[in-house]
Amino acid sequence: MTTTRVAVDVGGTFTDVCIMDEQTGEIRIEKTPSTPDDPMRAIMTGVSQANIDLADVTLFSHGTTVATNALITRKLPRTAMVCTEGFRDVVEIRRSNKEDLWDTYKDVAKPYIPRRDRLTVKERVDAAGEIIQPLDEEEVRRVAGILKKRGVKAIAVCFINSYVNASNEIRVREILREVMPDVHISTSSEIMPEIFEHERFSTTMVNAVVSPVVVDYVSRLSDKLTEGGYRRDLLLLHSGGGVMTPASVKDFAARLAGSGIAAGAIASRFIGNLCGYENSIGFDMGGTSTDVSLTYQGESTVTKDWYIEYGYPIRFPSIEVLTIGAGGGSLAWRDEGGSLRNGPQSAGAQPGPACYSNGNEVATNTDANVVLGRLGHSLAGGDITLDPTLAENAVRETVAEPFGMELHEAAEAIIDVANANMANAVRLLSISRGRDPRDFALVAFGGAGALHGAAVAQELAIPVVIVPPNPGVTSAMGCLLVDIQHDFSDSFMADASTTTAQDLEAAFAKIEQEAVDRLHHEGVLPEDTVLQRSVEMMYQGQWRSLSVSAPPKITSTQDLVDGFHAEHAREYNFRRDDSPVSIFRVGVKAIGVVQKANLPSFEVVKHVPEPAGQRAVWFKGKQCDAAIYHRQDIKAGAEFSGPAIVEQIDSTVVVPPNTTATVDKYLNILIRVKG
């Protein structure tokens, strides 16, 4: 019986393939350069290099950046929007705010659908759901004819108040499909049936513009896997921390806009919990960017306030991840004020750092680490050779000579600026949210996370850094640790004091049936179906809501109100028990449980490992001899002190002076920062 699971994570520099044996938990990895023009080529190359027989694979899971990259680059198919007359410019008016209120020269990006392709029809539904102006079907057919001539590939249908009565949107979709049967159509009542028209219109617009791109990619990859012998559904990781099948991708493509970054957050949470830390900070540093996530009391923080470009929110629930332009390929540069900067510009996969010998002459973080001796002369098990002379030349010409520094001083300055940028990102997600980083462990992974993790922890007084056994492919492993998951919600605007348990049960029954039907459509058995309820509430007069968990059977609305008061106190440090509370929305998280493979554990025998050698490494302006270890030679129970370097095929671990390292039974390295 075959028991192989495969997960693939496509990064800006490398595509990581993680192969797990379900019975033993043994993991092996394969890395291959990413192919930005068509990510599927790198995936199939990695599968081939890993000698994977797709006929033996029981699960193939994938975290993709296709939707994210399409939105960032705006390489999008022509898409149209059909709106209620008078509401054509909702997505352009937005909230009339800016990302930086003080920058008068920086404008918010244009909508993904230009005004000429946002057409209107006569119809009107009031706030109670009553139709006060019937839909003009002849006008809809006229609009459909125009859009067909324009050759649009997708259409977003966004009517005012359709969240309480979707009949007009449904009828428009039927007419559009009669005229253009192959066009992707997204209706706001299906995508996001909630009040606040800008957020609803924006989410629907994003879903529409990425649908052709994502569905084409997923279909091609699924067909390619089937040709190779894979016999099950391809599973795609989505922003909420679950996976979805190609059948759901066709309707909710925008859920994949946060796919790539969610995998690392999931893996970070799993590893932190595995090591006994319910509070952990995920620190995923790759070749182009660093993703920071936070787990509190064993659960990832989730947000509905996120976007790829400011001004165009995507209201699907998403694991909260803060991304900054700091990676191994981030470029060092001098700003107009004469200060040293680092990123967000990156050398990327091509040409890469100067030491890759591909023509880049500007210093990167990787070049600085080579100069400091923290990186050796090769990466990826010898597949990539690093030229120390080119690294030195780049650091000298980019930083040392312009700033009047000695070579190693300049290299440390590059790393210090990068570490300060990443530490600030951690502060934004922890201290600014009322979380003390000293109460957390830092899970460092990604190709460069273990290089910088201990230094960032020292900057923030985080006591322990956890480096997983395969940090370079930890995000890919996150794809193996999730269930099929969908989020359903419906508006329920009412005074909590006049709402009965029966009212809420009726509202939940409607969306729970939809949730069960969706999971059944994806092949989930009833015994593997789990439904988790939530109710969003607010003090009357507020417009921001808080989500409170609801039991499988609601017997008392007051219990939910008490839970809201407690949640408000935790989130904002105050509560008003005498203030009236409004119910805003009901939600259901539908989970199709996927059997997980257990990671292997080993007997812990305390010992000091024998170094494979020594190398001169620079820390804080001083050269010292650091012990060099090979990761595969370090067993459970090993203990050693810094300075030390641990080398492995997918990453390099830096253990600075004044730190100690131990290896636990799962072969995680725990670096403890003194003081």
Side-chain angles (χ1 to χ4, degrees):
M1 182 178 292
T2 58
T3 58
T4 302
R5 295 187 177 201
V6 178
V8 179
D9 179 61
V10 178
T13 306
F14 289 105
T15 292
D16 302 327
V17 182
C18 181
I19 306 103
M20 175 183 283
D21 187 298
E22 290 181 358
Q23 293 182 336
T24 66
E26 179 184 354
I27 291 176
R28 59 188 180 94
I29 60 174
E30 187 68 47
K31 295 180 77 72
T32 187
S34 294
T35 50
D37 59 316
D38 185 2
M40 189 180 75
R41 287 196 291 112
I43 293 173
M44 300 313 297
T45 299
V47 168
S48 176
Q49 288 177 185
N51 295 318
I52 298 170
D53 185 347
L54 290 170
D56 295 336
V57 175
T58 60
L59 181 148
F60 196 107
S61 184
H62 174 31
T64 175
T65 56
V66 168
T68 310
N69 292 340
L71 292 170
I72 291 173
T73 62
R74 294 206 168 214
K75 293 181 179 179
L76 301 164
R78 188 167 186 176
T79 305
M81 179 181 284
V82 179
C83 314
T84 304
E85 188 176 56
F87 293 88
R88 179 184 190 184
D89 297 316
V90 165
V91 293
E92 195 142 14
I93 297 170
R94 303 180 310 278
R95 290 290 175 188
S96 299
N97 54 6
K98 301 177 68 173
E99 190 169 18
D100 185 349
L101 292 175
W102 310 112
D103 189 341
T104 58
Y105 296 99
K106 184 178 180 181
D107 293 325
V108 177
K110 293 290 185 182
Y112 297 112
I113 301 176
R115 193 172 195 270
R116 65 179 177 273
D117 288 330
R118 301 196 301 266
L119 307 184
T120 65
V121 296
K122 292 183 175 65
E123 72 85 39
R124 193 62 191 268
V125 174
D126 67 13
E130 296 293 328
I131 295 178
I132 57 177
Q133 182 173 6
L135 177 68
D136 187 334
E137 295 195 5
E138 285 305 312
E139 191 171 20
V140 175
R141 294 184 187 280
R142 180 184 64 81
V143 166
I146 293 173
L147 297 181
K148 184 177 181 179
K149 289 180 180 179
R150 292 183 182 181
V152 299
K153 302 298 182 183
I155 302 172
V157 182
C158 302
F159 288 170
I160 196 70
N161 294 330
S162 62
Y163 67 95
V164 288
N165 184 342
S167 60
N168 284 348
E169 283 194 351
I170 292 171
R171 180 56 185 148
V172 168
R173 180 174 60 191
E174 292 172 351
I175 296 172
L176 291 173
R177 282 186 172 157
E178 290 173 9
V179 180
M180 295 174 286
D182 297 328
V183 169
H184 298 266
I185 300 174
S186 300
T187 61
S188 71
S189 55
E190 180 182 26
I191 300 301
M192 187 58 50
E194 299 176 4
I195 197 174
F196 298 132
E197 60 270 13
H198 170 54
E199 287 75 11
R200 178 161 52 88
F201 283 27
S202 174
T203 303
T204 308
M205 174 178 66
V206 172
N207 195 79
V209 297
V210 300
S211 284
V213 177
V214 171
V215 171
D216 174 69
Y217 170 75
V218 170
S219 297
R220 288 192 299 113
L221 178 57
S222 184
D223 291 344
K224 198 73 174 176
L225 294 175
T226 301
E227 289 175 13
Y230 183 57
R231 297 183 297 274
R232 300 195 180 185
D233 274 334
L234 167 67
L235 298 180
L236 288 305
L237 186 73
H238 63 68
S239 60
V243 288
M244 57 200 297
T245 65
S248 288
V249 170
K250 291 180 180 179
D251 296 323
F252 299 96
R255 296 221 65 178
L256 297 183
S259 170
I261 58 178
I266 294 163
S268 170
R269 177 186 66 202
F270 175 81
I271 291 165
N273 289 338
L274 194 69
C275 295
Y277 294 91
E278 284 193 322
N279 297 344
S280 62
I281 296 170
F283 179 73
D284 179 5
M285 183 179 180
T288 307
S289 61
T290 296
D291 299 324
V292 179
S293 59
L294 187 139
T295 299
Y296 180 69
Q297 294 182 350
E299 296 294 331
S300 299
T301 55
V302 176
T303 181
K304 277 193 170 185
D305 296 319
W306 64 288
Y307 51 84
I308 301 300
E309 283 189 281
Y310 182 83
Y312 305 105
I314 304 172
R315 291 284 291 174
F316 292 126
S318 173
I319 292 178
E320 189 170 21
V321 178
L322 180 61
T323 301
I324 65 168
S330 294
L331 300 171
W333 54 286
R334 183 175 181 169
D335 67 13
E336 294 178 354
S339 298
L340 177 62
R341 298 297 184 94
N342 190 299
Q345 303 92 327
S346 174
Q350 289 292 333
C355 58
Y356 279 21
S357 306
N358 287 332
N360 174 38
E361 297 179 355
V362 180
T364 66
N365 291 328
T366 297
D367 297 311
N369 278 312
V370 170
V371 170
L372 295 172
R374 300 177 189 182
L375 278 176
H377 293 171
S378 66
L379 294 176
D383 290 344
I384 299 175
T385 301
L386 306 181
D387 189 327
T389 302
L390 292 178
E392 291 175 3
N393 292 341
V395 172
R396 185 178 292 110
E397 294 173 9
T398 306
V399 179
E401 292 177 354
F403 287 91
M405 295 180 177
E406 183 271 330
L407 178 65
H408 295 92
E409 180 187 10
E412 280 206 273
I414 293 171
I415 298 302
D416 287 345
V417 173
N419 290 341
N421 290 341
M422 293 183 287
N424 283 338
V426 175
R427 289 187 181 99
L428 283 173
L429 213 57
S430 57
I431 296 174
S432 67
R433 309 292 174 83
R435 313 290 191 203
D436 189 338
R438 293 173 295 184
D439 297 332
F440 289 74
L442 186 75
V443 182
F445 58 102
L451 267 171
H452 295 254
V456 172
Q458 288 174 324
E459 173 90 8
L460 297 165
I462 295 173
V464 62
V465 179
I466 303 170
V467 182
N470 304 109
V473 295
T474 296
S475 289
M477 187 184 74
C479 296
L480 296 174
L481 303 171
V482 294
D483 298 310
I484 294 174
Q485 178 184 309
H486 300 290
D487 297 277
F488 299 84
S489 64
D490 203 359
S491 292
F492 188 99
M493 293 178 289
D495 189 326
S497 63
T498 60
T499 300
T500 66
Q502 291 74 21
D503 295 333
L504 288 170
E505 282 294 331
F508 275 118
K510 174 186 172 184
I511 54 177
E512 283 177 340
Q513 185 58 54
E514 184 181 356
V516 170
D517 291 344
R518 175 77 59 77
L519 291 178
H520 176 72
H521 178 65
E522 297 191 325
V524 177
L525 299 175
E527 57 267 29
D528 295 328
T529 298
V530 177
L531 302 180
Q532 296 177 352
R533 293 175 165 186
S534 63
V535 178
E536 291 190 38
M537 311 172 81
M538 63 182 79
Y539 290 120
Q540 287 186 13
Q542 288 183 318
W543 66 277
R544 292 185 183 274
S545 59
L546 283 176
S547 180
V548 178
S549 295
K553 183 172 179 58
I554 298 172
T555 57
S556 169
T557 306
Q558 186 58 45
D559 291 343
L560 296 173
V561 173
D562 293 341
F564 166 75
H565 289 310
E567 181 67 13
H568 201 280
R570 187 200 64 76
E571 184 76 14
Y572 299 114
N573 205 31
F574 78 94
R575 57 190 289 168
R576 293 177 175 170
D577 293 55
D578 56 344
S579 295
V581 173
S582 294
I583 298 175
F584 176 63
R585 178 169 39 220
V586 292
V588 169
K589 179 183 291 185
I591 300 172
V593 178
V594 176
Q595 184 180 355
K596 314 296 188 305
N598 295 319
L599 295 181
S601 61
F602 302 87
E603 182 183 1
V604 174
V605 179
K606 291 187 177 182
H607 68 284
V608 178
E610 186 68 27
Q614 284 191 332
R615 186 164 70 227
V617 183
W618 290 76
F619 291 100
K620 298 188 181 299
K622 296 181 180 179
Q623 182 180 347
C624 54
D625 291 328
I628 307 298
Y629 298 96
H630 295 152
R631 187 72 183 259
Q632 67 268 24
D633 298 333
I634 301 178
K635 309 302 180 185
E639 298 179 347
F640 54 97
S641 300
I645 305 293
V646 182
E647 296 180 335
Q648 59 189 103
I649 186 173
D650 60 330
S651 187
T652 298
V653 186
V654 172
V655 184
N658 298 319
T659 65
T660 60
T662 59
V663 181
D664 71 4
K665 66 179 181 179
Y666 297 106
L667 301 185
N668 298 298
I669 297 177
L670 278 68
I671 304 172
R672 289 182 168 80
V673 179
K674 295 181 179 178

